Amino acid sequence: MLVRLLYVSRAREGHTQQDIEAILHSARHHNLHNGITGILCYGGGIYLQAIEGGRGAVNRLYKQIIEDPRHHDVELLLYEEITERRFGGWTMGQVNLSKLNTSIVLKYSERPEFDPYSVSGKVSLALLEELMATASIIGRA
């Protein structure tokens, strides 16, 4: 059974670009071997991640994320059974939230800075789907 999980978290204080690269590298290696696909967005100290795959694999990965000291204030935004993957082309695509086009952000948010903590999981997923449609996602590895 395939599921999609969407969560938001805050990066620990003092996180660096190297931390983000380490998360992406680890995710791409781990996800490939566990049938997990998804996308990681980051910016302004916030991570927004969609994870797709088998229910057991996704649940185990989410538990690891919750326990990872690089994340805090982890909140589950959306968890649903799916019939097909939306992010199947990425073992872990990436988007820098701080570099999003303001007109795209305002389509889904009250303010020009996107804050996943203040919108529904469905809204965050809609933004991710728009980013995919507009080729804003990089790192198809």
Side-chain angles (χ1 to χ4, degrees):
M1 169 184 303
L2 289 174
V3 298
R4 179 180 301 118
L5 183 149
L6 183 65
Y7 77 89
V8 64
S9 68
R10 296 190 194 282
R12 68 169 166 75
E13 193 169 323
H15 81 285
T16 64
Q17 182 63 33
Q18 288 79 14
D19 292 324
I20 295 166
E21 293 300 324
I23 289 170
L24 286 166
H25 176 75
S26 173
R28 288 176 177 148
H29 176 74
H30 173 269
N31 294 354
L32 178 64
H33 299 293
N34 289 285
I36 293 175
T37 57
I39 177 173
L40 175 67
C41 302
Y42 57 91
I46 292 177
Y47 295 111
L48 173 66
Q49 187 171 21
I51 305 166
E52 298 172 329
R55 181 171 40 201
V58 168
N59 291 347
R60 285 187 295 278
L61 178 56
Y62 184 59
K63 181 180 182 293
Q64 289 175 339
I65 290 165
I66 291 171
E67 295 171 350
D68 188 328
R70 296 174 293 190
H71 299 270
H72 68 93
D73 295 337
V74 179
E75 288 190 21
L76 181 64
L77 300 177
L78 180 75
Y79 187 93
E80 61 186 346
E81 295 176 358
I82 58 175
T83 57
E84 61 185 34
R85 298 173 192 249
R86 292 290 294 137
F87 306 104
W90 293 274
T91 52
M92 193 49 57
Q94 67 185 63
V95 173
N96 187 334
L97 288 173
S98 61
K99 294 187 178 184
L100 292 181
N101 182 311
T102 303
S103 63
I104 291 175
V105 174
L106 286 172
K107 185 174 177 181
Y108 300 99
S109 178
E110 293 178 18
R111 299 183 5 211
E113 303 83 29
F114 186 70
D115 179 8
Y117 285 98
S118 67
V119 298
S120 73
K122 292 285 187 186
V123 167
S124 294
L125 182 59
L127 172 65
L128 294 180
E129 289 174 340
E130 173 125 359
L131 295 174
M132 186 174 61
T134 59
S136 298
I137 300 172
I138 60 172
R140 282 185 91 70

